[in-house]
Amino acid sequence: MAGIEKLPVLGVLTRTLVKSPVIKFIIPARIRDPSPKNDVIFVYNDSVEIKEVIIKDTKDKRAESVYLKDIVDKADFDSSIRSARILGRTRQYETVKDYQDIPSRPMKIPPQILALTLESSKVVFLCAFYDWGNHLRWLSSYRILPNHAQSYSKQLGEHIAVDPKSRAMAVAAIEGSFVLYALMPMDRLKEQVETVVGMQSSKFNPVMDERFFHVDGVILKMEFLHPSKTDIDEVILLVIVAKKQKTKLHCYVWDYRTGLRQASELGSGQRVLDDERLPLLLIPLRMSTAFMIVTQRHVTVYTGILTGPATWQKHPLRHYEAPEQPGSSRSLPIFTQWARVLRYDDHVSVQDNIYLCREDGVVYFLEIGDSSSRTIDSGLAAGQLNFNMVGRLRVNISTAFATLHLGGEYHDLLVVGGDLSAGGLFFFAPREKAELMSTIPNWTPMIDIAVTKVKQPNVSSLARNDPVKDQMRIFAGTGRGPIHGEITEIRYGVEGAINGEIEPVENAVTDIWALYDPSSKCVHIVVSSPTDTALLPIESDEGELPDTDSQVELVGEAQTIAAGLTMEGGIVQITATAIVVTSSADRRRRLAVEMKDESVTCASIMTSNIYGCVLLTTMKRETGNYLQCTRICTDSEEIGLQPLGDPVDLPTEPSCSLLQEIQGRICAFVGLLTGSLLVFGRSNGVGPCLQVTFKHEFEGDFAVCDSIATIVDESQGWLVCGLRNGSCQTLGLASEGRMLLTPFELFVLGNTSVNVKSDEEHQNRAILACDDIFCTLEYSYEHPRLATIRKILLTNEEKPGYKQGSIKAFTQVSFRQSDRNIGSAAGQWFCMEGENFNRFELRGGSQSSMIPRRMYLDGTPTRISFSEKLDRLIVLYTRIVIKRDPNHGQPGRRVVEPTFAFLDIDKGLLRPDPDNHDANNELRVVLSNNQHQRANVLTVQERKPGEKYLGMTEWFPTDGENVYHMLIVFTMIVYDDERAETGRLLFFSLSQNVDGQVSMASKKITELKAPVFAVVPYGQSSLIYSCGEEVFLHTLKLTSKPREWLSPVVLTLQSRGVHFSISGQFVHITTATDSLSVLRVGEGNRTLTLEYSDEVARDGIFHLDLPAQGLIITSSKDGTITGLRRPPRKRISNSMPTAFIAEFAGSITRLRRMSRPSWQLNESSKASRLSPESIIACTADGTLYQIDILEESTWRFLRFISNMARRHHLICPYREKFRAMVDARHARHIEPRTSNKRFMQVDGDILIRLLDRGGEQLLNDMVNHEPYGEDAVVDFDTAAARSQRFWELAKQAGVDVPEFRAVVSWMRGMLVSVI
């Protein structure tokens, strides 16, 4: 009897690619530096992020740029965040508009601290500081909340409130109790914190005392009130409690000087008005102990609550604005958040100003005067409320809403995080409408995703690199409603924000240079084409455009090979036949040297404080090629050229050159057409002559170096070479008496020559362009052999659907060292991209972020699918149409129309204007010339009342050589009466004309007794679909005349099928409550039999088949994915063994295979045993995860490291020693075990945290230092034993060199992002 075949052990590596964009709170605060900064804190579900508002002033205020810059984030909490508030000194009114140029102050504590409550019953105190190396570091402490209740509603943390003077803080549960904390004065707290700043662990504690209070009822709202001017030591807490359809105001008061023990409630509570039993907002007013309750229809101001029953004054909202989308809901929109406005002290003393926002984006401005119970304003009668609408922001708003003062008397910035819609920064000035300055992206809900390959240019097979063929793009159906539904392209990288468009030149562009002119304070763009050169002056923020008479004179009838600046600011131009030096300041100082009997083939220009302006030219003459180094002399009245040494002969014609000053020495790099790279240096570093010091040979076909750049980080240098075959080779620079090159990495980017240029603003990175790839390449001193590549994604705020084209040429603004303070011109880039000539700036520093590309829809997307045949993205979405009464023109009945859109993914979409009800107001496509045309949108007429279109699939039935293109739509029909739900199958034929327009024709409708949730084609002419709990195999007999459907084959499952896929003769079915079932299709498509099924019943959502690994990954509603093994042969039991179970914060709704970028498939990826493919998973809240299947040796090593990392306080700081540090099922063990399938998951986020917070040093500390107390382990209780096992596992995983640096490089390769 043959033994049972043992299946190989497989693990799974998971990491977060893109965190959810859902913002819970936006709080203006300064928690990172004592210097005044325009900072706001974004509080997400499980992380916080500091962002700075950056203001780019221009002379034209209409073109003023305001955007958010990412500073730092923190995402290592042990649970999700419930609430947040700020402690510390309240920000005062300031007249300065922008603080971004104020330098940071190291080792200083900011004036405010962030307080968070977590689901794990903790309150966390957070701030950040700059160390002596100017690195921003978090400082945090936490306190366990006194939770004794088992039920979630009675656990503390739902509400948090802070006294206006930060003397006390209250944390409450949903019902039953709250706790009061007496806080340390901020001055004393800063002294305490500064003593632990340099320590590894923070021990500061803002809490001096605490007291627990019981409350009988549900706590609706809680806030501290402002004390009166005569009782400044009084602390007043107002709690609104509901019980048995009665709502009361409970007030707790105590003297701050006597402590919490004296705190007591005033009376037994005061009932609120019946129409205020469920208040929307509670707003404490600056006037003495006053507060305001906001409801849907009115606001009520309460005063005098300390002296007896509070008096109230109700103010109806008589001018209630109609809903933004009246047909989207039967309910009126409600108020969701408020924000207080900063004003100068004299204004604050007499008036309170508050913004109120509504969930549909309508914002109001309240002016409340300080006059006892009256609310007055100049021009208003006593007792009236000034309540003005700021505008309709066209975003959905939940609780993420704040205001930031930008200087001036009354200028505010509204910071709005969208709810199921994009948010934005809105500038508001008195008596003007709110103006959108920049968008805060939001891609929720993520309903469906589709993956498609990038279109490749037609090039010869010799130039094509295989890894480039499989580059992919991701699209998602996001948003809801007629003004928020979108198709979002998921893009991740560094944002290149376009801030200007330049009139393109007519000829083909070979290269461009941007040179800052200090005399005219403008930027000169030198544009070179094969036959001529154009000079374009671009206005900078500091100067005017120069007059035509003052423009510099260049050679315009020839191609420019190189251009640059002299030390005095003059412009240097080198063509094949001339060298020109000129200036706009003095046209008389001009040099023009004509070449005789020779020509320039390559050139490079360098400016140096030591050598001045030096030119490197490679010359071609009849006798051969040579290299010449020349210095521009400007000491006398005449400009001249001085040779530096004798010419140096070259063995063959050069392809590129670079002149660079490295460690005080001149070095020249020259690429040759033979595939070599020559390094020239001056003899002994001091002589006048350049000599060859090193020669490097590139490997591969067409490996000719076409461009060179150097990057430096501290004392380490690298050479980045762009090759003609679409690859990029990096070489390490080493100076040991002479310059040496060490090959590091080879990256494949595309099919054509790679253009490389250094980034003068960030010296440790270079910018690369090849075909459609535009990216940064960075090295760091800590990891000299592992580069980081990030895509540059161009965006246009005015064109959200802007599609980035191929980069033909690009450059950065060059300026003299003495012109560092040139305003916004510094850091500006220019590029010829597609047919556009753009100016842009790189935002976000060295951090990647989500940069979505948005294509508008006029409805809510339901399903998306990319059609390879049509080369279109097929979108099924629903539009809400209001059928109006023609006699009165008022909104009437609401009709939901299922609609199909066939989208060219390279073109943007403009949605109809919601304020325009014209019949021609429709979805339009943006063409390349900024013209519009009607989008390819088709409304389905074959619909029934109550019918919902659930999905679609393409079907290609084949009859010999005839292939028919069909679209199958499956639906669910819900009836108003008690009839059971039914469904239909709709068959449409698709055709496409020469213009690419797609048309649909209805061919067949099949009525079914239950809803259809999934359909999949099988074979040449069969369909498999679910109808209730039954699975149908239906075959169309195409050979018969007329064609006919054979009787269906039916199989009943335990629950309805929600997702199907096909693998050979097997049908994989994810069911609603019974996980995965695998069916076999019999011969002739006439039988269906159950072959395998999951051994555990799970609430299934989706699955993905991985034939190469013999796996099927299923996702469930409990937030897990399960890897199920397909047995090599059928067992006695038909259950599928479980390979692993991985847990996520939310339910995975979609799984897709994703090819890695071509540059990741190099030698380091082979060492890390990376698969060419990875898996992306998404949740409805917009989170994207990466999933990689691990073989046993890799899993064991990574899990071993992960088990150690979970115990380290720098990696997992919010753990109560051992209880929340590791899985209780795996307590006190670091040796990986397979006893529980959940142990097969490796949390990549923890490993990334380890690399970012110490890397080699931290790994060494975990391996070689003895754990103690509850952190001790039982399987490796000594450092020697742990170290021995660590290196055993490392060798098995493929780490050949027993060094921590090698392990860190290997881990970085394993954790590289797939997008």
Side-chain angles (χ1 to χ4, degrees), residues 525-812:
I525 309 296
V526 180
V527 182
S528 175
S529 67
T531 58
D532 57 20
T533 295
L535 183 67
L536 306 177
I538 304 298
E539 183 180 15
S540 70
D541 295 340
E542 282 72 30
E544 300 285 349
L545 277 171
D547 297 331
T548 303
D549 294 340
S550 63
Q551 289 184 5
V552 296
E553 296 181 9
L554 300 180
V555 177
E557 296 79 20
Q559 176 183 353
T560 297
I561 296 175
L565 292 173
T566 67
M567 296 296 293
E568 293 75 22
I571 295 180
V572 183
Q573 180 196 20
I574 302 177
T575 70
T577 57
I579 297 177
V580 177
V581 183
T582 184
S583 171
S584 63
D586 187 357
R587 295 179 59 183
R588 294 172 298 176
R589 288 174 58 84
R590 184 176 187 272
L591 172 69
V593 178
E594 299 287 341
M595 304 296 170
K596 296 180 179 179
D597 302 327
E598 58 186 5
S599 62
V600 179
T601 54
C602 298
S604 178
I605 303 171
M606 180 196 76
T607 56
S608 165
N609 292 329
I610 300 175
Y611 303 100
C613 184
V614 183
L615 312 181
L616 178 72
T617 55
T618 60
M619 313 295 293
K620 184 177 182 180
R621 54 190 174 188
E622 291 184 1
T623 58
N625 299 276
Y626 69 92
L627 182 71
Q628 179 68 63
C629 196
T630 311
R631 181 168 58 193
I632 297 178
C633 298
T634 57
D635 299 335
S636 60
E637 293 184 1
E638 298 294 330
I639 301 176
L641 297 179
Q642 176 189 357
L644 294 179
D646 298 329
V648 181
D649 289 334
L650 296 175
T652 186
E653 186 173 343
S655 56
C656 65
S657 64
L658 174 68
L659 187 65
Q660 196 75 24
E661 180 184 2
I662 299 177
Q663 297 179 356
R665 300 179 179 181
I666 288 182
C667 294
F669 305 92
V670 179
L672 303 178
L673 290 178
T674 57
S676 303
L677 178 68
L678 301 180
V679 181
F680 294 84
R682 304 179 71 180
S683 57
N684 300 322
V686 294
C689 297
L690 289 174
Q691 297 179 353
V692 176
T693 63
F694 193 84
K695 181 178 180 180
H696 175 75
E697 297 287 345
F698 296 104
E699 297 180 357
D701 296 333
F702 301 97
V704 177
C705 184
D706 279 340
S707 59
I708 313 171
T710 59
I711 58 178
V712 179
D713 187 33
E714 298 189 11
S715 60
Q716 179 69 48
W718 298 264
L719 200 66
V720 184
C721 303
L723 306 185
R724 190 165 296 180
N725 61 6
S727 300
C728 173
Q729 173 79 63
T730 61
L731 304 146
L733 291 175
S735 179
E736 300 176 0
R738 63 192 184 99
M739 190 60 62
L740 302 177
L741 301 179
T742 304
F744 277 2
E745 296 178 281
L746 180 68
F747 305 99
V748 177
L749 297 179
N751 301 296
T752 59
S753 180
V754 178
N755 190 4
V756 180
K757 293 189 178 181
S758 299
D759 186 343
E760 296 182 10
E761 191 174 16
H762 298 271
Q763 294 187 355
N764 70 323
R765 78 179 179 189
I767 310 300
L768 289 69
C770 178
D771 296 335
D772 289 335
I773 300 297
F774 194 29
C775 60
T776 67
L777 183 147
E778 300 178 24
Y779 275 107
S780 67
Y781 179 78
E782 294 85 358
H783 306 287
R785 288 181 174 269
L786 192 64
T788 300
I789 295 180
R790 296 182 173 90
K791 295 178 183 177
I792 296 175
L793 303 169
L794 299 183
T795 62
N796 190 327
E797 187 67 39
E798 298 179 354
K799 302 175 183 177
Y802 186 87
K803 172 62 173 65
Q804 179 174 325
S806 178
I807 305 297
K808 300 176 182 177
F810 66 95
T811 188
Q812 187 179 22

Side-chain angles (χ1 to χ4, degrees), residues 1041-1090:
K1041 299 295 182 179
R1043 300 183 181 96
E1044 61 178 351
W1045 288 88
L1046 302 180
S1047 59
V1049 179
V1050 183
L1051 180 69
T1052 302
L1053 301 176
Q1054 296 294 322
S1055 62
R1056 70 171 184 264
V1058 295
H1059 176 60
F1060 290 0
S1061 69
I1062 300 295
S1063 178
Q1065 60 183 11
F1066 295 102
V1067 183
H1068 308 133
I1069 303 176
T1070 294
T1071 61
T1073 60
D1074 201 43
S1075 193
L1076 183 78
S1077 296
V1078 179
L1079 309 184
R1080 180 193 291 269
V1081 179
E1083 186 177 353
N1085 298 350
R1086 299 310 301 158
T1087 60
L1088 277 176
T1089 56
L1090 180 63

